[in-house]
Amino acid sequence: KAGVTQTPRYLIKTRGQQVTLSCSPISGHRSVSWYQQTPGQGLQFLFEYFSETQRNKGNFPGRFSGRQFSNSRSEMNVSTLELGDSALYLCASSPGTADTQYFGPGTRLTVL
Amino acid sequence: AQSVTQPDIHITVSEGASLELRCNYSYGATPYLFWYVQSPGQGLQLLLKYFSGDTLVQGIKGFEAEFKRSQSSFNLRKPSVHWSDAAEYFCAAYPGGYNKLIFGAGTRLAVHP
């Protein structure tokens, strides 16, 4: 089976812009979770989608949003980018609830 | 608050030496526990996991971990480290409920030849 894929792998944006990141889970996996990784804050949970429904959300501002499509692919959007949004954004897929999460390679976002 | 603690930020070992990376969790009940490894610029690769049952779990690349309820610990071990093991290692837990992993701060492993 193909692993979790994320596109694009690298992004450079300027403050105030918005960005959309994409994640394709492992075939058959219905859950997609998103995490932000920064040197200062480490790995932090953003949100999780299961069968197109957001089930859980981390402590991030409303500028961070996401969605999941019927084929389980997921996107996350960050509006009005700030310098502090520069990070590695990781997507993980899982077959079900409280199951093993498999991570993609991440999207490196740089905000200038 | 629910948390995962990795007390060691950096560890340096010589190639061929044994390795133990520490992880402690703070939860009321036994969470599901994981160890992941991350090479520079890469995503996280699952090394092993503990859900229940045998407290000594085997993983990939020769790693094992032991769950000790009395110490709230889930330490990662490897008997003989290879230079390719140099990476950052993360301990993580599900506190319960949905797929929200809580991660430790990570331990960066350097391997000297």
Side-chain angles (χ1 to χ4, degrees), chain B residues 44-92:
Chain B
L44 302 175
Q45 181 182 22
L46 178 71
L47 287 175
L48 48 77
K49 61 187 178 185
Y50 173 75
F51 283 8
S52 65
D54 193 349
T55 56
L56 184 63
V57 294
Q58 303 296 322
I60 63 171
K61 303 185 180 186
F63 285 93
E64 66 177 27
E66 185 172 13
F67 169 66
K68 292 185 177 180
R69 185 190 309 273
S70 62
Q71 299 176 20
S72 297
S73 69
F74 186 57
N75 294 349
L76 182 71
R77 301 194 296 245
K78 186 170 185 178
S80 178
V81 171
H82 187 262
W83 63 266
S84 61
D85 293 324
E88 190 155 21
Y89 292 79
F90 292 93
C91 182

Side-chain angles (χ1 to χ4, degrees), chain A residues 7-108:
Chain A
T7 56
R9 292 293 311 277
Y10 303 92
L11 267 178
I12 300 175
K13 294 286 187 178
T14 56
R15 279 181 300 173
Q17 288 186 310
Q18 75 165 21
V19 67
T20 299
L21 313 182
S22 181
C23 172
S24 293
I26 293 171
S27 177
H29 286 193
R30 297 168 65 187
S31 168
V32 173
S33 300
W34 290 88
Y35 296 84
Q36 182 195 63
Q37 185 177 25
T38 59
Q41 299 299 317
L43 281 152
Q44 294 185 288
F45 173 80
L46 279 158
F47 30 65
E48 186 232 358
Y49 287 86
F50 185 90
S51 294
E52 302 179 66
T53 300
Q54 186 183 90
R55 295 199 300 186
N56 208 344
K57 191 177 191 304
N59 189 24
F60 280 83
R63 300 185 297 107
F64 291 81
S65 63
R67 60 177 175 168
Q68 187 180 33
F69 301 95
S70 58
N71 62 358
S72 293
R73 190 178 70 85
S74 178
E75 289 181 347
M76 68 163 282
N77 184 78
V78 188
S79 62
T80 319
L81 283 166
E82 301 177 0
L83 295 178
D85 297 332
S86 294
L88 181 66
Y89 289 89
L90 292 164
C91 163
S93 79
S94 177
T97 299
D99 206 333
T100 303
Q101 290 191 24
Y102 298 91
F103 284 81
T107 294
R108 171 75 61 185

